[in-house]
Amino acid sequence: MARAARPPLEIGLNAAIVAVEDQQPLILVVSPPNGPGEADGLPFGPFDPIAHRTLEMGLRAWVEEQTALRLGYVEQLYTFGDRGRHAHPGDRGPHLVSVGYLALTGPVAAHSEALALTGARWDRWYGFFPWEDWREGRPAILDEALLPALRRWERAPAGDDPARRGLSRRSRIGLAFGAGGERWDEERVLDRYELFYEAGLVPEAIRDGRVPLDDTPLPTAITGTPMRFDHRRVLATAISRLRAKLKYRPVIFELMPPDFTLTDLQLAVEAISGRRLHKQNFRRLVEAATLVEPTGESTRPKRGRPAALFRFRREVVQERPAPGLRVGSRS
């Protein structure tokens, strides 16, 4: 019996490009090609095996074409290939498999003029994940809206879901949100977003045909700004990776200017991790890790005392295998 014709397969490349400015972690977004009415997304382009020798070369080429931004640090994240992620009516269009990348860049001021010409712009990543920013304490939206909604979903019929057998909804909520005595783990960004998606709480889930949990959906100020296709899932994966990588690789310095104060460095780490750090402990940790060295210069503020300037010691990556910042929260 002949098999039905299968839809063609295409390979795309997604980039989660991160910067830090004014104590805010930023993500580069591009406007949809069809104009207003469609959500913004991450920079995205097809892989052309004729024009591009490698996937990363293709990524760098079309990011520069779309945004005029030359990427520095880049690493591959994950391959996203779920059926229907870029579905056409009847699900007969080409099936798109995307290779996601995390890219880090320095201060955004150097890129602003070029970006303005392309329609790309920087946006706060906590606007897409408002429950992830704990720098001013536990976000009120967790206990006022999000966790009560997940508890209602927890009690709803689960159906037959082979992918989740062996781990109850209650257990998953506890692990992801630090509920029921579990500790909040800042690295579980993707787990938390996927729970909201499965529960029908985020606009992407409703757009993709899932039944909403409630007749009146929660406002996006609570559930976060939606993105095109599954780009918010790609971004959640990037944030999870970056938060984890801070602890064993010196990637934070890819987001810093060449010279910086220790306060600047701490604020950047706090921006990415989403939590405050103990100042003295942080400085002892940086000093013990020998990640930085003094430049011999100081800031010249209009008010207050000058602060010593430091730079990243690049030799540290050859000196030991895991030169990261294993930071703890502020006590």
Side-chain angles (χ1 to χ4, degrees), residues 74 122 184 272 297:
V74 170
W122 296 103
W184 174 270
I272 296 297
E297 303 292 332

Side-chain angles (χ1 to χ4, degrees), residues 53-279:
R53 183 169 59 85
T54 67
L55 294 171
E56 184 176 318
M57 289 173 67
L59 177 88
R60 291 178 182 275
W62 61 250
V63 165
E64 186 172 355
E65 178 182 333
Q66 285 187 16
T67 67
L69 183 66
R70 296 194 120 187
L71 296 180
Y73 177 93
V74 170
E75 69 168 275
Q76 193 175 121
L77 274 177
Y78 188 74
T79 300
F80 301 85
D82 293 354
R83 184 173 62 84
R85 59 187 302 273
H86 283 220
H88 293 273
D91 207 23
R92 297 292 183 182
H95 181 66
L96 189 61
V97 174
S98 281
V99 182
Y101 283 84
L102 168 66
L104 308 179
T105 189
V108 302
H111 316 130
S112 57
E113 186 175 344
L115 289 176
L117 297 175
T118 65
R121 72 179 194 284
W122 296 103
D123 207 345
R124 296 185 315 110
W125 83 14
Y126 290 126
F128 300 102
F129 303 97
W131 55 86
E132 293 292 339
D133 189 358
W134 284 54
R135 289 175 294 175
E136 304 306 322
R138 182 181 176 91
I141 58 173
L142 278 173
D143 299 310
E144 292 174 358
L146 291 172
L147 284 173
L150 280 180
R151 293 304 184 195
R152 293 196 297 276
W153 172 71
E154 174 193 320
R155 295 189 293 269
D160 186 23
D161 187 356
R164 298 298 182 183
R165 284 176 184 164
L167 194 60
S168 69
R169 289 179 174 180
R170 176 177 295 181
S171 297
R172 291 174 60 207
I173 293 170
L175 288 170
F177 290 91
E182 298 287 347
R183 182 182 67 87
W184 174 270
D185 185 347
E186 71 272 11
E187 295 177 27
R188 292 183 176 270
V189 185
L190 179 61
D191 294 342
R192 288 185 278 270
Y193 175 73
E194 288 192 329
L195 278 168
F196 291 141
Y197 183 90
E198 290 180 42
L201 293 173
V202 294
E204 290 93 331
I206 301 170
R207 179 195 65 200
D208 293 347
R210 287 184 173 268
V211 176
L213 181 65
D214 297 309
D215 294 334
T216 304
L218 296 172
T220 56
I222 293 174
T223 61
T225 304
M227 300 185 87
R228 298 180 68 206
F229 306 128
D230 60 352
H231 288 195
R232 199 153 45 137
R233 183 172 178 239
V234 177
L235 178 54
T237 306
I239 297 174
S240 294
R241 172 74 64 84
L242 183 54
R243 285 181 167 182
K245 201 149 193 171
L246 285 179
K247 300 170 184 176
Y248 64 90
R249 296 298 295 172
V251 290
I252 189 64
F253 298 102
E254 302 291 341
L255 300 166
M256 302 297 296
D259 300 339
F260 49 83
T261 68
L262 292 184
T263 297
D264 294 334
L265 181 61
Q266 179 175 339
L267 291 173
V269 172
E270 290 177 344
I272 296 297
S273 65
R275 56 199 179 102
R276 293 296 183 201
L277 306 173
H278 189 283
K279 182 176 179 179

Side-chain angles (χ1 to χ4, degrees), residues 259-267 279 283 293-311:
D259 300 339
F260 49 83
T261 68
L262 292 184
T263 297
D264 294 334
L265 181 61
Q266 179 175 339
L267 291 173
K279 182 176 179 179
R283 296 197 173 201
E293 60 187 4
T295 66
E297 303 292 332
S298 300
T299 60
R300 297 182 179 180
K302 294 181 179 179
R303 295 182 180 179
R305 298 173 59 186
L309 289 169
F310 293 80
R311 57 177 166 248

